[in-house]
Amino acid sequence: GLPLLFGGLAAGAALVLAYHGPLVTRVVTALAVAVLGGFTATAILQYGFGSFEGSYWLTATAVSTGIAAISLTVMGLGLLLGAPGIGLAAVVLLFLSNPISGLATGPQWLPAPWGAIGQYLPIGAAGTTIRSAAFFDGNGATQAWIVLATWALLGLALATLATTRTRPAAVQA
């Protein structure tokens, strides 16, 4: 789970701090990094270590979606709040989402209600989609896919709000 977290966090932070181009380019870059990272990590884990058994494509898509949800959320908060937004995202993801994700054991093994709450955060949802894709042919992950899509859309909404908020007002004649 930590490579998933750090991959998304690093990509989102870099697109805020190091690149100052248009939002569309940032979003496309975040998605490209997520796909490249997801497919590479899955190839290493599945073919190099034999950690996964299921469909490579479905598992890689799950990993990529998790990275995308994290990086877009970090990017949105970073563009909206600056460096404090990146710090807020890092704290929420590393110190809240990761421990209650149930990634290592499954959310059922965490004390109630923490395991259930963790499934509504990016790392918990990503863990569920990856586990489902790798071992259960994708079954049982509908809610987790929706949660990841919601986090990605939230990040896009925050980034869009940040860019429209900082755009100078049009001069009226």
Side-chain angles (χ1 to χ4, degrees):
L2 290 178
L4 181 83
L5 168 65
F6 290 131
L9 185 61
L15 288 168
V16 171
L17 300 173
Y19 180 73
H20 301 288
L23 179 60
V24 171
T25 306
R26 291 179 197 216
V27 170
V28 169
T29 303
L31 295 175
V33 166
V35 169
L36 180 64
F39 278 74
T40 302
T42 303
I44 292 168
L45 290 169
Q46 186 158 346
Y47 300 119
F49 295 117
S51 299
F52 299 143
E53 300 171 1
S55 164
Y56 167 77
W57 299 103
L58 183 58
T59 306
T61 301
V63 175
S64 297
T65 305
I67 295 171
I70 292 168
S71 66
L72 291 172
T73 300
V74 171
M75 186 177 72
L77 283 169
L79 289 173
L80 188 64
L81 303 173
I86 295 170
L88 174 65
V91 167
V92 167
L93 292 169
L94 185 61
F95 297 116
L96 179 63
S97 181
N98 189 47
I100 65 173
S101 68
L103 193 61
T105 60
Q108 303 83 353
W109 292 98
L110 294 174
W114 298 112
I117 292 170
Q119 297 308 293
Y120 290 99
L121 297 170
I123 298 175
T128 297
T129 58
I130 294 166
R131 188 179 296 112
S132 172
F135 303 110
F136 303 107
D137 295 324
N139 294 314
T142 302
Q143 176 184 322
W145 287 107
I146 293 168
V147 168
L148 290 174
T150 301
W151 279 96
L153 290 172
L154 174 67
L156 287 173
L158 292 172
T160 302
L161 177 64
T163 57
T164 59
R165 194 179 73 167
T166 58
R167 191 176 297 152
V171 177
Q172 305 232 350

